[in-house]
Amino acid sequence: MNLVETEKLIIEWAKARDIIPNSNIMTQGIKTLEEVQELLRAIDRKDKAEIQDAYGDIFVTIVIGAYLNGGSLAIYAEQAYNVIKDRTGTLLPNGDFVKDVK
């Protein structure tokens, strides 16, 4: 199964559980933040299974949020890629990304 198919199944799942009609992009944004916090705790504990679970949960919340915003995560990801694809630079050891000057 590819990500576009997975995205469609997540939307069907969310509709069947009344998440779609009873949610909005703000509530999904808050849910995403909660899941990111769970991810950070799992990373801190070096709990691989929980890290994987958190990434999956984050994906679910942003798929639903994108849908509620009238779009799809696949389209938003493509748009983001088109913005960054020609960027060049270097990630420094301290985590800062330094863009090349054109």
Side-chain angles (χ1 to χ4, degrees):
M1 184 172 10
N2 66 41
L3 288 176
V4 172
E5 292 168 341
T6 302
E7 186 175 2
K8 289 178 185 175
L9 291 173
I10 290 168
I11 297 304
E12 290 174 17
W13 172 87
K15 286 179 179 178
R17 284 150 186 84
D18 290 330
I19 295 169
I20 296 291
N22 293 320
S23 188
N24 59 55
I25 58 174
M26 180 59 80
T27 58
Q28 286 305 303
I30 292 167
K31 187 65 180 164
T32 300
L33 180 59
E34 291 170 0
E35 298 299 345
V36 169
Q37 291 169 332
E38 288 181 17
L39 171 64
L40 295 174
R41 285 191 294 273
I43 291 169
D44 188 53
R45 292 189 312 268
K46 298 176 178 53
D47 186 333
K48 273 196 149 191
E50 286 299 317
I51 291 168
Q52 292 171 353
D53 181 66
Y55 274 123
D57 290 346
I58 291 165
F59 183 79
V60 168
T61 63
I62 59 177
V63 164
I64 296 169
Y67 179 85
L68 290 168
N69 193 50
S72 82
L73 191 57
I75 291 169
Y76 294 164
E78 182 178 344
Q79 291 169 346
Y81 175 74
N82 287 331
V83 169
I84 67 164
K85 69 181 179 183
D86 297 321
R87 287 184 187 163
T88 57
T90 304
L91 183 67
L92 301 177
N94 69 357
D96 290 340
F97 186 81
V98 179
K99 294 180 188 178
D100 289 338
V101 179
K102 292 184 179 186

